[in-house]
Amino acid sequence: MSRAIRIHRVAAAALRYNVRSLFSDNSFAASVTVDSEETGLYGFPVLKTAKGFRRFVDEAIESVGELASRISQMPPSEEVINAMDEISNTVCSVIDSAELCRNTHPDKEFVEEANKASMRISEYLHFLNTNHTLYNAVLMSEQEGSIQSEEARRAANSLRIDFEKGGIHLPTEKLERVNQLNTQIALLGRQFNENIITDPGHVDVFPASCIPKNMQHHFKPIYRQFLPVDNEPLGLREKKKEKGFRLVTDSSSLSSILKWVSHAEVRKQTYIIGNSVPRANLCVIDKLISSRHELAQIMGCRSYAEFAIRPNMAASPDVVMDCLLNLSNMVRLKADAEFKLIQDYKRTVDNDVRADLEPWDEAYLTGRMKSSACDLDSSCLEGLKLLVQSVFGVTFSSMPFSPGESWHPDVMKLLLHHPQEIVALVCNFPNSRGSSISKLNHWDVETLFHEFGHALHSLFSRTDYQHFSGTRVVLDFAETPSNLFEYYAWDYRVLKTFAKHYSTGEVIPKKLVDSMNRARNMFSAMELQRQILYSLIDLTLFGEQPASPMDTISIVADLKRQCTSWKHVEGTHWHTRFSHLINYGAGYYSYLYAKCFAATIWEKVCRDDPLSLSTGTAIRTKFLQHGGAKDPSNLLRDLAGHSILRTYNGGIVPDTSSLCKEMNL
């Protein structure tokens, strides 16, 4: 559904002056500080109990109804846009809270009530998006020319476009069909995810010794009769059983098995089964492609990809396709060399000069070829403190929750303090079993810094309209801050401020950081190639449709063969668990745009002195604080220079030179 009351990320709601963001990806949640008497989940007094979600929705609907009534009486003006922004904020506060709760809360009742609240407010959101009174008020306010500020004009334009994504400007018959299609698309997305959960697949492995002992506790033990031995007494045969394990091949388990199990046949079987389920999603994807294509055509577009990309910087699927193919060509030579490196390693290990490299070998062999990860203790929080103080001139410290504000005893709340502002940041970190210390491996630290980039985008946002706050930006710009902050997680100048051995306190050695970076970069071309492949699949499936229905298995297999050196295993269809097809639909390329933009910003702005206040000031004032209130291409150019991007065929493509230099392409 096109959301005039727009939510680009679940975590994007923000008050106009005091930022309120609820990060639903289990890494971050932020809220404005609350008075001591205010209690309730996330600082909302109404959420003292699970059933408070019902009242939360009721109050939001009542408040929005009053605002809508006021708008209907207003002349075309900037006040209309202000009131629409209040509606957006009110609805988003409920949606964000419900989404965070249902994804993180340990109490079943809270989760159930949050689910109900999410469904109710989503239905109400649909009502708002099809409200002609609100649409006409926005349309007239934009056309009358009485709006003074640039941001208000952008807000009016953005609201109108978002309304029209739902087809509100179409004749009644077409609008009804658009509503039907949007409902169908939402149901198909839900079915896709449910199928992944209900049909994860499994492999029964015998004997138990095929599974490393340190992994065996993750799997269900099973038993079978030993095969009979000649001349063995019958009674003895019946008593002897062989132990094995049932390996459920959900995505997380499959990833671990492929990385850590040395037994090649076990990896092969789990790869094949894990990438062949759920078969029901083949039909779901076909229906999704058909529904999205019909929707796009009603909207006057040649494809769903055109419909989805048109509001973004790229502007058209042709621009994205050319960008992806150029990247693919640039990375191919080095990716092929990396493939050969792995193949040679396998042939050496197997003592077989003709051994073929199989898809189920990749994670295991590359893991062996890389240096092992380093455990970093919870002083990474100290590192973040030093980082934000050095770079942004702000401090943060621990603070207690108000009663009922948190959803789990392990959650910590940290107060960020700036001389002119105060906001609170709430973070979740994994606990080590039996220890009060939270130890993170380096990949967790990278994830932490990635999400911290999103957090800062919201926390430092200072827009007049919450509609543009923080991560509320065009899709192919949204991941840039998070990608930028990943660089900080790999820079020794940053790591030495907090990466210490959890028991000795020894600072992480520079040689180890250098080794970690070499391991990280060892197969970087193949990883980039993989992201290009995902983007091409996403773009092709939702691109212009052939006369007869496409065979998605063949398309995915052909693209893999064309873009990589890896084989396609007949009978597999891994894309039936690729949920980004549901969530992004022709937008997966945005990760690559962000990667290119971040590489340029790091090289041009941060690399020489990443911890300096002047670096942070530039990132904050020229970039983070504007959210979506300004043209993203102008923000990028102002921060990193005109060469960071270029116009091409009516759209924007990122400059790839910094990324290529970084990867030695």
Side-chain angles (χ1 to χ4, degrees):
M1 175 168 62
S2 175
R3 292 179 174 178
I5 313 305
R6 181 166 56 172
I7 306 168
H8 278 305
R9 291 172 58 86
V10 169
L15 295 174
R16 185 179 301 175
Y17 299 111
N18 292 316
V19 175
R20 179 187 294 276
S21 299
L22 300 174
F23 281 76
S24 66
D25 46 18
N26 298 347
S27 299
F28 282 101
S31 67
V32 293
T33 52
V34 295
D35 296 332
S36 58
E37 68 270 13
E38 285 190 280
T39 58
L41 197 61
Y42 319 135
F44 290 109
V46 72
L47 297 182
K48 292 176 184 176
T49 66
K51 289 185 173 60
F53 271 106
R54 301 178 187 182
R55 185 178 160 200
F56 201 13
V57 175
D58 290 340
E59 290 179 352
I61 291 175
E62 181 181 354
S63 177
V64 169
E66 292 173 358
L67 285 166
S69 179
R70 279 173 45 200
I71 289 172
S72 69
Q73 305 298 319
M74 290 179 183
S77 64
E78 193 167 319
E79 284 304 306
V80 168
I81 309 305
N82 295 341
M84 284 295 300
D85 198 61
E86 288 187 53
I87 289 177
S88 180
N89 186 61
T90 302
V91 174
C92 287
S93 292
V94 178
I95 290 181
D96 291 352
S97 301
E99 286 295 312
L100 177 62
C101 181
R102 73 191 191 92
N103 281 287
T104 64
H105 207 291
D107 189 303
K108 185 178 179 181
E109 185 184 4
F110 266 95
V111 172
E112 288 177 350
E113 290 295 336
N115 273 322
K116 293 175 185 176
S118 182
M119 291 178 66
R120 279 187 65 202
I121 201 68
S122 294
E123 289 172 2
Y124 186 65
L125 182 63
H126 176 70
F127 163 75
L128 292 174
N129 283 336
T130 55
N131 187 310
H132 281 83
T133 300
L134 296 180
Y135 169 66
N136 289 330
V138 171
L139 182 65
M140 294 300 294
S141 296
E142 182 187 19
Q143 291 178 346
E144 292 275 323
S146 58
I147 300 176
Q148 299 301 314
S149 74
E150 177 189 350
E151 186 174 340
R153 286 194 296 272
R154 283 180 61 85
N157 179 261
S158 179
L159 283 165
R160 177 184 58 78
I161 290 173
D162 284 347
F163 265 120
E164 291 174 357
K165 282 181 184 176
I168 196 169
H169 61 302
L170 298 174
T172 302
E173 185 177 328
K174 288 187 176 181
L175 176 57
E176 288 178 357
R177 183 57 183 155
V178 166
N179 289 337
Q180 291 171 0
L181 288 168
N182 278 320
T183 300
Q184 187 173 320
I185 289 166
L187 291 174
L188 287 168
R190 196 172 302 159
Q191 186 64 55
F192 185 93
N193 291 322
E194 287 176 0
N195 289 342
I196 291 173
I197 294 170
T198 58
D199 184 17
H202 72 270
V203 174
D204 291 342
V205 174
F206 293 95
S209 59
C210 291
I211 306 300
K213 286 188 176 181
N214 64 344
M215 294 183 70
Q216 291 181 0
H217 68 280
H218 290 295
F219 306 112
K220 179 183 177 181
I222 53 176
Y223 300 88
R224 70 178 180 184
Q225 294 294 134
F226 269 116
L227 295 175
V229 179
D230 290 342
N231 303 322
E232 189 175 40
L234 181 63
L236 187 60
R237 293 184 209 171
E238 292 176 347
K239 290 181 181 178
K240 294 177 70 176
K241 290 185 177 180
E242 182 181 29
K243 182 180 179 181
F245 291 99
R246 171 159 291 181
L247 278 54
V248 177
T249 55
D250 61 277
S251 296
S252 178
S253 299
L254 177 62
S255 177
S256 296
I257 293 164
L258 293 177
K259 186 174 183 180
W260 299 112
V261 174
S262 61
H263 199 291
E265 186 61 26
V266 172
R267 296 200 311 272
K268 176 181 178 179
Q269 293 303 317
T270 54
Y271 178 93
I272 291 173
I273 295 298
N275 286 289
S276 303
V277 291
R279 189 161 184 84
N281 273 352
L282 286 169
C283 181
V284 173
I285 289 175
D286 288 343
K287 291 178 179 177
L288 181 68
I289 290 170
S290 176
S291 297
R292 282 179 167 171
H293 184 64
E294 183 183 349
L295 172 66
Q297 289 195 311
I298 293 174
M299 294 294 187
C301 298
R302 292 176 300 170
S303 67
Y304 184 78
E306 181 182 317
F307 175 70
I309 295 171
R310 190 164 53 182
N312 298 342
M313 284 194 289
S316 80
D318 291 342
V319 170
V320 175
M321 182 62 77
D322 285 351
C323 179
L324 293 176
L325 293 177
N326 286 335
L327 274 173
S328 182
N329 290 334
M330 284 191 295
V331 79
R332 185 64 190 253
L333 193 63
K334 187 174 182 184
D336 286 348
E338 291 175 358
F339 180 90
K340 187 177 185 303
L341 191 67
I342 305 170
Q343 186 177 61
D344 291 344
Y345 179 77
K346 179 181 181 178
R347 289 173 175 176
T348 301
V349 170
D350 291 356
N351 195 26
D352 181 356
V353 295
R354 291 182 293 182
D356 287 332
L357 190 58
E358 305 289 352
W360 50 84
D361 294 328
E362 181 183 6
Y364 176 70
L365 294 179
T366 56
R368 287 187 61 175
M369 294 170 75
K370 290 182 176 185
S371 59
S372 60
C374 171
D375 278 340
L376 306 176
D377 74 7
S378 60
S379 63
C380 65
L381 287 178
E382 297 302 318
L384 283 178
K385 289 181 183 180
L386 290 170
L387 174 64
V388 296
Q389 185 168 4
S390 298
V391 179
F392 298 108
V394 302
T395 59
F396 68 68
S397 55
S398 299
M399 66 178 297
F401 283 102
S402 299
E405 186 182 1
S406 176
W407 61 95
H408 193 277
D410 290 340
V411 177
M412 303 167 62
K413 183 163 83 170
L414 304 169
L415 178 73
L416 269 81
H417 180 267
H418 188 270
Q420 286 84 38
E421 306 144 49
I422 296 180
V423 292
L425 176 67
V426 184
C427 314
N428 288 349
F429 299 100
N431 264 344
S432 299
R433 290 182 182 176
S435 171
S436 61
I437 296 176
S438 175
K439 291 192 291 183
L440 309 177
N441 67 43
H442 194 257
W443 299 106
D444 290 331
V445 174
E446 182 185 61
T447 299
L448 172 62
F449 276 63
H450 177 101
E451 298 304 334
F452 195 66
H454 284 310
L456 290 177
H457 203 177
S458 285
L459 292 168
F460 286 152
S461 177
R462 289 300 175 267
T463 60
D464 291 336
Y465 292 90
Q466 72 86 32
H467 192 76
F468 291 136
S469 179
T471 55
R472 292 169 164 267
V473 295
V474 292
L475 188 62
D476 46 15
F477 179 62
E479 293 290 331
T480 303
S482 55
N483 274 264
L484 175 62
F485 273 84
E486 286 184 22
Y487 283 92
Y488 281 87
W490 292 94
D491 192 289
Y492 179 70
R493 292 166 294 182
V494 177
L495 286 174
K496 71 179 182 181
T497 66
F498 67 89
K500 303 172 185 177
H501 192 277
Y502 75 96
S503 61
T504 67
E506 179 188 0
V507 174
I508 191 170
K510 187 176 186 303
K511 286 184 179 180
L512 177 57
V513 176
D514 291 341
S515 176
M516 288 162 56
N517 273 282
R518 284 194 298 272
R520 174 197 182 205
N521 295 325
M522 188 177 289
F523 304 107
S524 59
M526 283 202 320
E527 178 54 38
L528 179 59
Q529 191 177 63
R530 187 178 357 262
Q531 296 303 311
I532 294 168
L533 173 63
Y534 293 166
S535 301
L536 285 170
I537 290 169
D538 178 43
L539 193 64
T540 303
L541 293 184
F542 297 111
E544 293 187 44
Q545 299 298 299
S548 56
M550 60 173 64
D551 177 355
T552 63
I553 295 179
S554 296
I555 287 173
V556 170
D558 289 345
L559 285 170
K560 185 175 184 180
R561 282 188 285 260
Q562 292 166 21
C563 299
T564 78
S565 299
W566 293 96
K567 300 175 184 176
H568 167 72
V569 180
E570 292 301 321
T572 62
H573 41 81
W574 64 265
H575 62 291
T576 53
R577 291 210 295 210
F578 189 47
S579 59
H580 287 89
L581 295 176
I582 306 298
N583 302 331
Y584 280 82
Y588 192 84
Y589 79 92
S590 60
Y591 286 105
L592 290 171
Y593 264 50
K595 191 174 182 68
C596 292
F597 291 142
T600 303
I601 295 170
W602 178 258
E603 181 186 7
K604 304 290 187 185
V605 181
C606 307
R607 188 178 60 186
D608 290 344
D609 195 357
L611 292 173
S612 74
L613 185 59
S614 61
T615 298
T617 299
I619 294 172
R620 179 177 184 178
T621 60
K622 295 183 178 183
F623 186 33
L624 298 178
Q625 76 177 32
H626 299 292
K630 292 189 174 183
D631 185 305
S633 61
N634 290 338
L635 291 179
L636 289 166
R637 284 172 170 147
D638 189 37
L639 177 63
H642 281 263
S643 64
I644 191 172
L645 52 83
R646 62 187 174 89
T647 56
Y648 171 76
N649 200 18
I652 297 290
V653 293
D655 178 68
T656 59
S657 58
S658 294
L659 182 64
C660 290
K661 187 188 301 182
E662 175 187 311
M663 296 179 62
N664 296 317
L665 294 179

